[in-house]
Amino acid sequence: MQTDEKELIARILNGHAEDFGYFLERYSQEAFAIVVRLVPQQEDAEELVQDAFVRAFNRLETFAGHASFSTWICRIAYTTTISWLRKHS
């Protein structure tokens, strides 16, 4: 993970929630590419990506930094989608 991203996470955790937009802009397309392979309906895929980012924001303090933020958010997007598919099948 880039040092700048570590600093951004620290700022977010210290009350600067608006800085989370950086992660949304940087990684939403990557997360969407994973989700849309599993859920081909674009509206559902977009909503699932949004849900994944909300979950990531709410659990940001659990991000340990052992993997990249990209890996972490994509894993959240994947598990969010799998849970949604289980409920809707």
Side-chain angles (χ1 to χ4, degrees), residues 8-24 48-63 69 72-74 76-77 80:
L8 270 177
I9 289 171
R11 282 183 45 84
I12 294 164
L13 293 173
N14 285 319
H16 297 276
E18 67 277 2
D19 289 344
F20 193 75
Y22 164 84
F23 295 104
L24 185 59
L48 287 163
V49 170
Q50 182 178 353
D51 290 349
F53 274 89
V54 168
R55 287 179 185 195
F57 178 80
N58 289 333
R59 301 203 50 203
L60 191 57
E61 72 281 350
T62 68
F63 178 70
F69 189 87
W72 189 66
I73 190 63
C74 287
I76 293 171
T80 299

Side-chain angles (χ1 to χ4, degrees), residues 28 31-33 35-52 80-81 84-85 88:
S28 63
F32 181 78
V35 172
V36 79
R37 288 183 196 138
L38 300 168
V39 179
Q41 299 81 13
Q42 184 167 344
E43 296 84 16
D44 291 336
E46 288 170 354
E47 189 171 324
L48 287 163
V49 170
Q50 182 178 353
D51 290 349
T80 299
T81 303
W84 184 86
L85 285 169
H88 291 88

